[in-house]
Amino acid sequence: MNFRQWALAATLGLSSIASAWAHDYTIGQIRVDHPWVRATAPGQANGAGYMEIKNSGANADRLLSVNSDAAARVELHTIETENGVARMRHVPDGIAVPANGEVKLAPGGYHVMFLNLKQPFSQDGEIPATLKFEKAGEVAVKFHVMPIGHMQKGEHDHSSHSMKH
């Protein structure tokens, strides 16, 4: 194999690896960036999912629901702090995605709650799900499973906070 053939093979191999780990999904004017969950500990019944949703359209949209076979039920939640106590709250009307704007689902705020997991989330795995938007419709995504202690850039550990569901 000459150098050109080797370089081409290496480039194709790297691009296929990059596309396998690409976590951007688009439906209409909605772009979903890097959906992820943390790996779960043995016996952990629930898990939370995060992502960024960008709307390049002139009209607002709304994430209405998420469905996945990985859990008995999937809900949209937020965290609200009352009297110094953080509490999870179900968001039954969905999450607004502003026109020409974005919404971040991140620890300590909006998130996807996977309830009664059918099996643990294993590091480096993928959790298939379908996001349903009010206007854009449905898009299939895969939540990448990060290590148990994974924190996104700028995120702080709130594990010592009391959380009541």
PDB file of all heavy atoms in Angstrom, residues 104-133:
ATOM      1  N   LYS A 104     -31.495  24.678  26.439  1.00  0.00           N
ATOM      2  CA  LYS A 104     -30.541  23.661  26.872  1.00  0.00           C
ATOM      3  C   LYS A 104     -31.193  22.791  27.932  1.00  0.00           C
ATOM      4  O   LYS A 104     -31.714  23.301  28.923  1.00  0.00           O
ATOM      5  CB  LYS A 104     -29.280  24.310  27.433  1.00  0.00           C
ATOM      6  CG  LYS A 104     -28.494  25.038  26.375  1.00  0.00           C
ATOM      7  CD  LYS A 104     -27.229  25.629  26.932  1.00  0.00           C
ATOM      8  CE  LYS A 104     -26.506  26.389  25.828  1.00  0.00           C
ATOM      9  NZ  LYS A 104     -25.212  26.887  26.264  1.00  0.00           N
ATOM     10  N   LEU A 105     -31.170  21.503  27.706  1.00  0.00           N
ATOM     11  CA  LEU A 105     -31.575  20.542  28.717  1.00  0.00           C
ATOM     12  C   LEU A 105     -30.275  20.107  29.372  1.00  0.00           C
ATOM     13  O   LEU A 105     -29.415  19.502  28.718  1.00  0.00           O
ATOM     14  CB  LEU A 105     -32.311  19.360  28.094  1.00  0.00           C
ATOM     15  CG  LEU A 105     -33.788  19.611  27.729  1.00  0.00           C
ATOM     16  CD1 LEU A 105     -33.940  20.597  26.604  1.00  0.00           C
ATOM     17  CD2 LEU A 105     -34.472  18.314  27.412  1.00  0.00           C
ATOM     18  N   ALA A 106     -30.104  20.486  30.648  1.00  0.00           N
ATOM     19  CA  ALA A 106     -28.832  20.289  31.333  1.00  0.00           C
ATOM     20  C   ALA A 106     -29.083  19.998  32.806  1.00  0.00           C
ATOM     21  O   ALA A 106     -30.139  20.356  33.342  1.00  0.00           O
ATOM     22  CB  ALA A 106     -27.964  21.543  31.184  1.00  0.00           C
ATOM     23  N   PRO A 107     -28.117  19.355  33.469  1.00  0.00           N
ATOM     24  CA  PRO A 107     -28.276  19.097  34.899  1.00  0.00           C
ATOM     25  C   PRO A 107     -28.614  20.394  35.641  1.00  0.00           C
ATOM     26  O   PRO A 107     -28.048  21.448  35.372  1.00  0.00           O
ATOM     27  CB  PRO A 107     -26.897  18.563  35.311  1.00  0.00           C
ATOM     28  CG  PRO A 107     -26.395  17.904  34.055  1.00  0.00           C
ATOM     29  CD  PRO A 107     -26.860  18.821  32.945  1.00  0.00           C
ATOM     30  N   GLY A 108     -29.586  20.296  36.534  1.00  0.00           N
ATOM     31  CA  GLY A 108     -30.018  21.451  37.305  1.00  0.00           C
ATOM     32  C   GLY A 108     -31.134  22.240  36.649  1.00  0.00           C
ATOM     33  O   GLY A 108     -31.614  23.229  37.192  1.00  0.00           O
ATOM     34  N   GLY A 109     -31.590  21.816  35.461  1.00  0.00           N
ATOM     35  CA  GLY A 109     -32.650  22.520  34.742  1.00  0.00           C
ATOM     36  C   GLY A 109     -33.555  21.538  34.026  1.00  0.00           C
ATOM     37  O   GLY A 109     -33.858  20.458  34.536  1.00  0.00           O
ATOM     38  N   TYR A 110     -33.979  21.923  32.830  1.00  0.00           N
ATOM     39  CA  TYR A 110     -34.797  21.011  32.033  1.00  0.00           C
ATOM     40  C   TYR A 110     -34.025  19.733  31.741  1.00  0.00           C
ATOM     41  O   TYR A 110     -32.813  19.766  31.516  1.00  0.00           O
ATOM     42  CB  TYR A 110     -35.169  21.644  30.691  1.00  0.00           C
ATOM     43  CG  TYR A 110     -36.209  22.723  30.763  1.00  0.00           C
ATOM     44  CD1 TYR A 110     -35.920  24.011  30.326  1.00  0.00           C
ATOM     45  CD2 TYR A 110     -37.496  22.456  31.234  1.00  0.00           C
ATOM     46  CE1 TYR A 110     -36.878  25.013  30.365  1.00  0.00           C
ATOM     47  CE2 TYR A 110     -38.449  23.456  31.280  1.00  0.00           C
ATOM     48  CZ  TYR A 110     -38.140  24.723  30.848  1.00  0.00           C
ATOM     49  OH  TYR A 110     -39.090  25.705  30.896  1.00  0.00           O
ATOM     50  N   HIS A 111     -34.726  18.601  31.704  1.00  0.00           N
ATOM     51  CA  HIS A 111     -34.104  17.324  31.351  1.00  0.00           C
ATOM     52  C   HIS A 111     -35.179  16.313  30.970  1.00  0.00           C
ATOM     53  O   HIS A 111     -36.360  16.518  31.228  1.00  0.00           O
ATOM     54  CB  HIS A 111     -33.234  16.784  32.493  1.00  0.00           C
ATOM     55  CG  HIS A 111     -33.956  16.598  33.784  1.00  0.00           C
ATOM     56  ND1 HIS A 111     -34.204  17.640  34.654  1.00  0.00           N
ATOM     57  CD2 HIS A 111     -34.501  15.506  34.345  1.00  0.00           C
ATOM     58  CE1 HIS A 111     -34.857  17.190  35.710  1.00  0.00           C
ATOM     59  NE2 HIS A 111     -35.064  15.890  35.544  1.00  0.00           N
ATOM     60  N   VAL A 112     -34.734  15.240  30.333  1.00  0.00           N
ATOM     61  CA  VAL A 112     -35.597  14.112  29.989  1.00  0.00           C
ATOM     62  C   VAL A 112     -35.439  13.103  31.117  1.00  0.00           C
ATOM     63  O   VAL A 112     -34.316  12.717  31.455  1.00  0.00           O
ATOM     64  CB  VAL A 112     -35.169  13.473  28.648  1.00  0.00           C
ATOM     65  CG1 VAL A 112     -36.002  12.238  28.346  1.00  0.00           C
ATOM     66  CG2 VAL A 112     -35.266  14.489  27.517  1.00  0.00           C
ATOM     67  N   MET A 113     -36.534  12.685  31.727  1.00  0.00           N
ATOM     68  CA  MET A 113     -36.475  11.731  32.845  1.00  0.00           C
ATOM     69  C   MET A 113     -36.929  10.360  32.357  1.00  0.00           C
ATOM     70  O   MET A 113     -38.073  10.189  31.938  1.00  0.00           O
ATOM     71  CB  MET A 113     -37.371  12.219  33.975  1.00  0.00           C
ATOM     72  CG  MET A 113     -37.063  11.614  35.301  1.00  0.00           C
ATOM     73  SD  MET A 113     -35.488  12.222  35.918  1.00  0.00           S
ATOM     74  CE  MET A 113     -34.991  10.816  36.856  1.00  0.00           C
ATOM     75  N   PHE A 114     -35.999   9.401  32.379  1.00  0.00           N
ATOM     76  CA  PHE A 114     -36.290   8.016  32.035  1.00  0.00           C
ATOM     77  C   PHE A 114     -36.668   7.315  33.337  1.00  0.00           C
ATOM     78  O   PHE A 114     -35.824   7.161  34.227  1.00  0.00           O
ATOM     79  CB  PHE A 114     -35.057   7.347  31.410  1.00  0.00           C
ATOM     80  CG  PHE A 114     -34.644   7.929  30.083  1.00  0.00           C
ATOM     81  CD1 PHE A 114     -33.797   9.027  30.017  1.00  0.00           C
ATOM     82  CD2 PHE A 114     -35.088   7.362  28.897  1.00  0.00           C
ATOM     83  CE1 PHE A 114     -33.400   9.555  28.788  1.00  0.00           C
ATOM     84  CE2 PHE A 114     -34.701   7.873  27.667  1.00  0.00           C
ATOM     85  CZ  PHE A 114     -33.860   8.976  27.611  1.00  0.00           C
ATOM     86  N   LEU A 115     -37.926   6.914  33.477  1.00  0.00           N
ATOM     87  CA  LEU A 115     -38.439   6.349  34.726  1.00  0.00           C
ATOM     88  C   LEU A 115     -38.607   4.840  34.630  1.00  0.00           C
ATOM     89  O   LEU A 115     -39.119   4.323  33.635  1.00  0.00           O
ATOM     90  CB  LEU A 115     -39.778   7.001  35.070  1.00  0.00           C
ATOM     91  CG  LEU A 115     -39.710   8.522  35.245  1.00  0.00           C
ATOM     92  CD1 LEU A 115     -41.095   9.142  35.184  1.00  0.00           C
ATOM     93  CD2 LEU A 115     -39.023   8.863  36.549  1.00  0.00           C
ATOM     94  N   ASN A 116     -38.181   4.141  35.667  1.00  0.00           N
ATOM     95  CA  ASN A 116     -38.233   2.681  35.725  1.00  0.00           C
ATOM     96  C   ASN A 116     -37.490   2.051  34.546  1.00  0.00           C
ATOM     97  O   ASN A 116     -38.091   1.449  33.656  1.00  0.00           O
ATOM     98  CB  ASN A 116     -39.679   2.182  35.799  1.00  0.00           C
ATOM     99  CG  ASN A 116     -40.382   2.662  37.049  1.00  0.00           C
ATOM    100  OD1 ASN A 116     -39.808   2.628  38.138  1.00  0.00           O
ATOM    101  ND2 ASN A 116     -41.603   3.123  36.900  1.00  0.00           N
ATOM    102  N   LEU A 117     -36.174   2.240  34.571  1.00  0.00           N
ATOM    103  CA  LEU A 117     -35.324   1.720  33.498  1.00  0.00           C
ATOM    104  C   LEU A 117     -35.497   0.218  33.349  1.00  0.00           C
ATOM    105  O   LEU A 117     -35.588  -0.504  34.343  1.00  0.00           O
ATOM    106  CB  LEU A 117     -33.856   2.026  33.789  1.00  0.00           C
ATOM    107  CG  LEU A 117     -33.479   3.504  33.921  1.00  0.00           C
ATOM    108  CD1 LEU A 117     -31.999   3.635  34.252  1.00  0.00           C
ATOM    109  CD2 LEU A 117     -33.831   4.263  32.658  1.00  0.00           C
ATOM    110  N   LYS A 118     -35.515  -0.232  32.115  1.00  0.00           N
ATOM    111  CA  LYS A 118     -35.644  -1.665  31.845  1.00  0.00           C
ATOM    112  C   LYS A 118     -34.313  -2.381  32.034  1.00  0.00           C
ATOM    113  O   LYS A 118     -34.283  -3.576  32.324  1.00  0.00           O
ATOM    114  CB  LYS A 118     -36.208  -1.884  30.451  1.00  0.00           C
ATOM    115  CG  LYS A 118     -37.648  -1.373  30.367  1.00  0.00           C
ATOM    116  CD  LYS A 118     -38.264  -1.603  29.026  1.00  0.00           C
ATOM    117  CE  LYS A 118     -39.700  -1.065  29.006  1.00  0.00           C
ATOM    118  NZ  LYS A 118     -40.288  -1.163  27.687  1.00  0.00           N
ATOM    119  N   GLN A 119     -33.214  -1.652  31.866  1.00  0.00           N
ATOM    120  CA  GLN A 119     -31.886  -2.156  32.164  1.00  0.00           C
ATOM    121  C   GLN A 119     -30.987  -0.945  32.397  1.00  0.00           C
ATOM    122  O   GLN A 119     -31.304   0.148  31.961  1.00  0.00           O
ATOM    123  CB  GLN A 119     -31.346  -3.049  31.048  1.00  0.00           C
ATOM    124  CG  GLN A 119     -31.224  -2.399  29.707  1.00  0.00           C
ATOM    125  CD  GLN A 119     -30.806  -3.410  28.648  1.00  0.00           C
ATOM    126  OE1 GLN A 119     -30.350  -4.504  28.941  1.00  0.00           O
ATOM    127  NE2 GLN A 119     -30.950  -3.045  27.396  1.00  0.00           N
ATOM    128  N   PRO A 120     -29.870  -1.138  33.119  1.00  0.00           N
ATOM    129  CA  PRO A 120     -28.999   0.008  33.409  1.00  0.00           C
ATOM    130  C   PRO A 120     -28.457   0.649  32.136  1.00  0.00           C
ATOM    131  O   PRO A 120     -28.315   0.001  31.105  1.00  0.00           O
ATOM    132  CB  PRO A 120     -27.862  -0.613  34.231  1.00  0.00           C
ATOM    133  CG  PRO A 120     -28.393  -1.908  34.725  1.00  0.00           C
ATOM    134  CD  PRO A 120     -29.394  -2.372  33.718  1.00  0.00           C
ATOM    135  N   PHE A 121     -28.144   1.940  32.224  1.00  0.00           N
ATOM    136  CA  PHE A 121     -27.466   2.642  31.136  1.00  0.00           C
ATOM    137  C   PHE A 121     -25.978   2.346  31.300  1.00  0.00           C
ATOM    138  O   PHE A 121     -25.370   2.715  32.305  1.00  0.00           O
ATOM    139  CB  PHE A 121     -27.701   4.143  31.215  1.00  0.00           C
ATOM    140  CG  PHE A 121     -29.115   4.589  30.911  1.00  0.00           C
ATOM    141  CD1 PHE A 121     -29.511   5.877  31.225  1.00  0.00           C
ATOM    142  CD2 PHE A 121     -30.044   3.757  30.309  1.00  0.00           C
ATOM    143  CE1 PHE A 121     -30.803   6.321  30.942  1.00  0.00           C
ATOM    144  CE2 PHE A 121     -31.332   4.183  30.020  1.00  0.00           C
ATOM    145  CZ  PHE A 121     -31.711   5.479  30.339  1.00  0.00           C
ATOM    146  N   SER A 122     -25.381   1.682  30.334  1.00  0.00           N
ATOM    147  CA  SER A 122     -23.973   1.290  30.394  1.00  0.00           C
ATOM    148  C   SER A 122     -23.106   2.279  29.639  1.00  0.00           C
ATOM    149  O   SER A 122     -23.418   2.640  28.494  1.00  0.00           O
ATOM    150  CB  SER A 122     -23.784  -0.108  29.799  1.00  0.00           C
ATOM    151  OG  SER A 122     -24.526  -1.049  30.542  1.00  0.00           O
ATOM    152  N   GLN A 123     -22.004   2.688  30.276  1.00  0.00           N
ATOM    153  CA  GLN A 123     -21.088   3.657  29.686  1.00  0.00           C
ATOM    154  C   GLN A 123     -20.725   3.279  28.257  1.00  0.00           C
ATOM    155  O   GLN A 123     -20.484   2.120  27.959  1.00  0.00           O
ATOM    156  CB  GLN A 123     -19.833   3.759  30.536  1.00  0.00           C
ATOM    157  CG  GLN A 123     -18.852   4.802  30.033  1.00  0.00           C
ATOM    158  CD  GLN A 123     -17.667   4.971  30.955  1.00  0.00           C
ATOM    159  OE1 GLN A 123     -17.759   4.758  32.145  1.00  0.00           O
ATOM    160  NE2 GLN A 123     -16.556   5.368  30.387  1.00  0.00           N
ATOM    161  N   ASP A 124     -20.707   4.278  27.386  1.00  0.00           N
ATOM    162  CA  ASP A 124     -20.388   4.178  25.961  1.00  0.00           C
ATOM    163  C   ASP A 124     -21.491   3.520  25.140  1.00  0.00           C
ATOM    164  O   ASP A 124     -21.337   3.328  23.946  1.00  0.00           O
ATOM    165  CB  ASP A 124     -19.050   3.475  25.712  1.00  0.00           C
ATOM    166  CG  ASP A 124     -17.881   4.270  26.267  1.00  0.00           C
ATOM    167  OD1 ASP A 124     -17.949   5.521  26.250  1.00  0.00           O
ATOM    168  OD2 ASP A 124     -16.904   3.664  26.728  1.00  0.00           O
ATOM    169  N   GLY A 125     -22.622   3.199  25.778  1.00  0.00           N
ATOM    170  CA  GLY A 125     -23.762   2.667  25.039  1.00  0.00           C
ATOM    171  C   GLY A 125     -24.576   3.805  24.440  1.00  0.00           C
ATOM    172  O   GLY A 125     -24.216   4.981  24.526  1.00  0.00           O
ATOM    173  N   GLU A 126     -25.672   3.447  23.816  1.00  0.00           N
ATOM    174  CA  GLU A 126     -26.591   4.431  23.239  1.00  0.00           C
ATOM    175  C   GLU A 126     -28.014   4.056  23.616  1.00  0.00           C
ATOM    176  O   GLU A 126     -28.370   2.877  23.620  1.00  0.00           O
ATOM    177  CB  GLU A 126     -26.441   4.492  21.724  1.00  0.00           C
ATOM    178  CG  GLU A 126     -25.109   5.070  21.288  1.00  0.00           C
ATOM    179  CD  GLU A 126     -24.993   5.212  19.784  1.00  0.00           C
ATOM    180  OE1 GLU A 126     -25.521   4.355  19.055  1.00  0.00           O
ATOM    181  OE2 GLU A 126     -24.353   6.179  19.344  1.00  0.00           O
ATOM    182  N   ILE A 127     -28.800   5.068  23.915  1.00  0.00           N
ATOM    183  CA  ILE A 127     -30.194   4.878  24.290  1.00  0.00           C
ATOM    184  C   ILE A 127     -31.058   5.489  23.185  1.00  0.00           C
ATOM    185  O   ILE A 127     -31.130   6.711  23.051  1.00  0.00           O
ATOM    186  CB  ILE A 127     -30.505   5.559  25.645  1.00  0.00           C
ATOM    187  CG1 ILE A 127     -29.510   5.117  26.732  1.00  0.00           C
ATOM    188  CG2 ILE A 127     -31.954   5.315  26.039  1.00  0.00           C
ATOM    189  CD1 ILE A 127     -29.441   3.632  26.966  1.00  0.00           C
ATOM    190  N   PRO A 128     -31.717   4.662  22.366  1.00  0.00           N
ATOM    191  CA  PRO A 128     -32.573   5.189  21.303  1.00  0.00           C
ATOM    192  C   PRO A 128     -33.831   5.835  21.891  1.00  0.00           C
ATOM    193  O   PRO A 128     -34.394   5.347  22.877  1.00  0.00           O
ATOM    194  CB  PRO A 128     -32.946   3.970  20.473  1.00  0.00           C
ATOM    195  CG  PRO A 128     -32.119   2.845  20.971  1.00  0.00           C
ATOM    196  CD  PRO A 128     -31.637   3.205  22.334  1.00  0.00           C
ATOM    197  N   ALA A 129     -34.240   6.932  21.272  1.00  0.00           N
ATOM    198  CA  ALA A 129     -35.454   7.630  21.703  1.00  0.00           C
ATOM    199  C   ALA A 129     -36.020   8.401  20.520  1.00  0.00           C
ATOM    200  O   ALA A 129     -35.333   8.636  19.523  1.00  0.00           O
ATOM    201  CB  ALA A 129     -35.140   8.588  22.857  1.00  0.00           C
ATOM    202  N   THR A 130     -37.276   8.797  20.641  1.00  0.00           N
ATOM    203  CA  THR A 130     -37.920   9.628  19.629  1.00  0.00           C
ATOM    204  C   THR A 130     -38.412  10.898  20.302  1.00  0.00           C
ATOM    205  O   THR A 130     -39.145  10.839  21.287  1.00  0.00           O
ATOM    206  CB  THR A 130     -39.105   8.890  18.975  1.00  0.00           C
ATOM    207  OG1 THR A 130     -38.611   7.686  18.378  1.00  0.00           O
ATOM    208  CG2 THR A 130     -39.765   9.747  17.912  1.00  0.00           C
ATOM    209  N   LEU A 131     -37.977  12.037  19.775  1.00  0.00           N
ATOM    210  CA  LEU A 131     -38.417  13.341  20.264  1.00  0.00           C
ATOM    211  C   LEU A 131     -39.590  13.790  19.419  1.00  0.00           C
ATOM    212  O   LEU A 131     -39.536  13.705  18.182  1.00  0.00           O
ATOM    213  CB  LEU A 131     -37.301  14.378  20.159  1.00  0.00           C
ATOM    214  CG  LEU A 131     -35.936  14.020  20.727  1.00  0.00           C
ATOM    215  CD1 LEU A 131     -34.980  15.185  20.552  1.00  0.00           C
ATOM    216  CD2 LEU A 131     -36.028  13.610  22.175  1.00  0.00           C
ATOM    217  N   LYS A 132     -40.636  14.291  20.063  1.00  0.00           N
ATOM    218  CA  LYS A 132     -41.813  14.766  19.336  1.00  0.00           C
ATOM    219  C   LYS A 132     -41.962  16.274  19.561  1.00  0.00           C
ATOM    220  O   LYS A 132     -42.144  16.725  20.695  1.00  0.00           O
ATOM    221  CB  LYS A 132     -43.076  14.046  19.803  1.00  0.00           C
ATOM    222  CG  LYS A 132     -44.321  14.473  19.038  1.00  0.00           C
ATOM    223  CD  LYS A 132     -45.545  13.697  19.481  1.00  0.00           C
ATOM    224  CE  LYS A 132     -46.769  14.129  18.688  1.00  0.00           C
ATOM    225  NZ  LYS A 132     -47.967  13.411  19.157  1.00  0.00           N
ATOM    226  N   PHE A 133     -41.895  17.022  18.447  1.00  0.00           N
ATOM    227  CA  PHE A 133     -42.056  18.469  18.481  1.00  0.00           C
ATOM    228  C   PHE A 133     -43.437  18.849  17.976  1.00  0.00           C
ATOM    229  O   PHE A 133     -43.981  18.186  17.090  1.00  0.00           O
ATOM    230  CB  PHE A 133     -40.978  19.151  17.630  1.00  0.00           C
ATOM    231  CG  PHE A 133     -39.605  19.029  18.212  1.00  0.00           C
ATOM    232  CD1 PHE A 133     -38.787  17.965  17.880  1.00  0.00           C
ATOM    233  CD2 PHE A 133     -39.134  19.977  19.109  1.00  0.00           C
ATOM    234  CE1 PHE A 133     -37.517  17.837  18.428  1.00  0.00           C
ATOM    235  CE2 PHE A 133     -37.868  19.866  19.656  1.00  0.00           C
ATOM    236  CZ  PHE A 133     -37.061  18.787  19.313  1.00  0.00           C
TER     237      PHE A 133
END
